[in-house]
């Protein structure tokens, strides 16, 4: 056991924190209010190597690992949770899936360009009629010579409006039972005829992260773009979620930490009944709950990321980390709004944004119900995901 970060991990934390404080914090309020996505800030993050931490040098990464990735995500998300999405689309779900399951030709074509943001990525599972129930997706890809013809649509896809290339999960055998065995994974590119992208506007939060739909109408995708084997898509998707949940948990820890920072500052400033509001024990209880929950989430996150660094399956650990961190960040955001009193209800203060952004963590990458189910079914012994290590 060792709870100390390495010198390299500490240096990465300093770099990411510095970047967040200098480059992101000054613009976050205006970007959030105006729903502005700034491509330049993502390119600067790529320039710092933030998306390549868990990737081998051969593909443009720094190979410093998943714990380092988690540390970077926490720092960036603490400043602006909208930017968290890019740590999946430019790292742990899109390019990492290609790295882990793709052919050498696919890796060479896409991985480095995605982590350097020369291409914007996407990871498309969810559909208008199937989100949690991935096996019930209805988009089909039917074999036609050396190609597959995709028809259907994907909903709530991060980066869809700006995507250059992404991984998409489709049914290549819509009749097979069990249903999940009919899913395959393909790489699609925005120029492909028959692919249309549509932006989803007016989201509750995460205003600076573009989200949208991908609509496929007789979209021809070459067989060379198949990732893994035919029918292997569900396995690939679940494996991608093991990694994606590391980013999501780290984002939630960042938001929770931001709630703590804001609450502590306000507790030391605001006075009521002739005292600093931090002197009231009921506010102290909230601060204690936020700090303890966030620290517990961070340790669970580091454990899940550590296992990924050791190449040990972490389905249970990344699910627990995501579950606890997302519930913690929502509670922390609610407490922060309460601590700010009436001002917590004003968009002039950051806690309103934190509250709106926090809620998404209970939905993405497996809702809290779904993560509860995975943890409980493993505990009950009905569907084991844990491994011995
Ligand atoms: C901003 C944003 C960005 C997103 N980005 C992406 C992306 O990049 N790629 C992508 O593929 N998806 C993305 N999603 C979609 C997200 O992953 C789904 O919304 C999520 O998986 C839930 O699916 P759903 O919305 O269809 O809800 P449903 O599956 O319809 O669930 C509705 C409710 O029922 C509950 N529920 C469902 N099944 C069960 C069950 N068996 N037991 C108990 N409760 C259950 C759920 O927890 C939820 O509360 C994004 C969503 C948002 C809002």
């Amino acid at each position: 056991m060792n709870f100390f970060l390495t010198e390299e991990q500490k240096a990465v934390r300093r770099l990411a924190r510095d970047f967040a404080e200098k480059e992101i914090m000054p613009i976050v309020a205006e970007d959030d209010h105006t729903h502005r996505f700034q491509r330049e800030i993502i390119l600067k993050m790529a320039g710092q190597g933030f998306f390549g931490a868990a990737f081998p040098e051969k593909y443009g990464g720094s190979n410093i690992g998943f714990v380092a990735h988690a540390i970077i995500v926490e720092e960036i998300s603490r400043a602006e949770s909208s930017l968290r999405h890019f740590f999946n689309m430019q790292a742990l779900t899109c390019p990492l899936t290609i790295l882990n399951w793709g052919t050498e030709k696919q890796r060479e074509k896409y991985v480095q360009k995605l982590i350097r943001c020369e291409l914007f990525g996407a990871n498309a599972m969810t559909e208008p009629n199937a989100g949690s129930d991935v096996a019930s997706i209805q988009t089909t890809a039917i074999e036609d010579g050396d190609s597959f013809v995709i028809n259907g649509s994907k909903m709530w896809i991060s980066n869809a409006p700006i995507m250059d290339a992404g991984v998409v999960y489709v049914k290549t055998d819509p009749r097979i039972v069990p249903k999940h065995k009919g899913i395959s994974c393909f790489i699609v590119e925005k120029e492909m005829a028959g692919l249309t992208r549509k932006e989803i506007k007016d989201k509750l939060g995460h205003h600076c992260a573009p989200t949208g739909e991908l609509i496929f109408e007789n979209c021809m995708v070459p067989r060379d773009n198949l990732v893994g084997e035919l029918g292997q898509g569900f396995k690939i998707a679940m494996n991608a979620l093991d990694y994606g949940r590391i980013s999501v948990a780290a984002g939630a820890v960042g938001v929770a930490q931001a709630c703590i920072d804001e609450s502590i500052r306000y507790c030391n400033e605001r006075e009521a009944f002739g005292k600093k509001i931090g002197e009231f024990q009921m506010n102290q209880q909230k601060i204690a709950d936020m700090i303890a929950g966030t620290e517990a989430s961070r340790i669970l996150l580091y454990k899940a990321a550590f296992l990924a660094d050791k190449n040990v399956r972490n389905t249970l650990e990344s699910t627990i980390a995501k579950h606890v961190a997302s519930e913690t960040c929502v509670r922390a955001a609610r407490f922060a709004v309460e601590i700010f009193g009436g001002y917590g209800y004003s968009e002039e203060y950051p806690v309103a944004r934190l509250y709106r952004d926090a809620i998404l963590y209970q939905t993405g990458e497996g809702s809290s119900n779904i993560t509860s189910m995975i943890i409980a079914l493993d505990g009950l012994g009905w569907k084991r995901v844990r491994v011995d290590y």
Side-chain angles (χ1 to χ4, degrees), residues 89 123-126 131-132 156-158 360 363 367 369-370 373:
M89 304 317 137
N123 174 61
M125 290 182 203
T126 306
S132 308
W156 289 116
I157 304 307
S158 299
L360 181 63
T363 298
S367 69
N369 284 8
I370 296 298
M373 200 169 77

Side-chain angles (χ1 to χ4, degrees), residues 352-368:
R353 168 176 52 82
L354 294 170
Y355 188 69
R356 288 186 280 96
D357 286 350
I359 291 167
L360 181 63
Y361 287 95
Q362 288 176 318
T363 298
E365 238 78 5
S367 69
S368 287

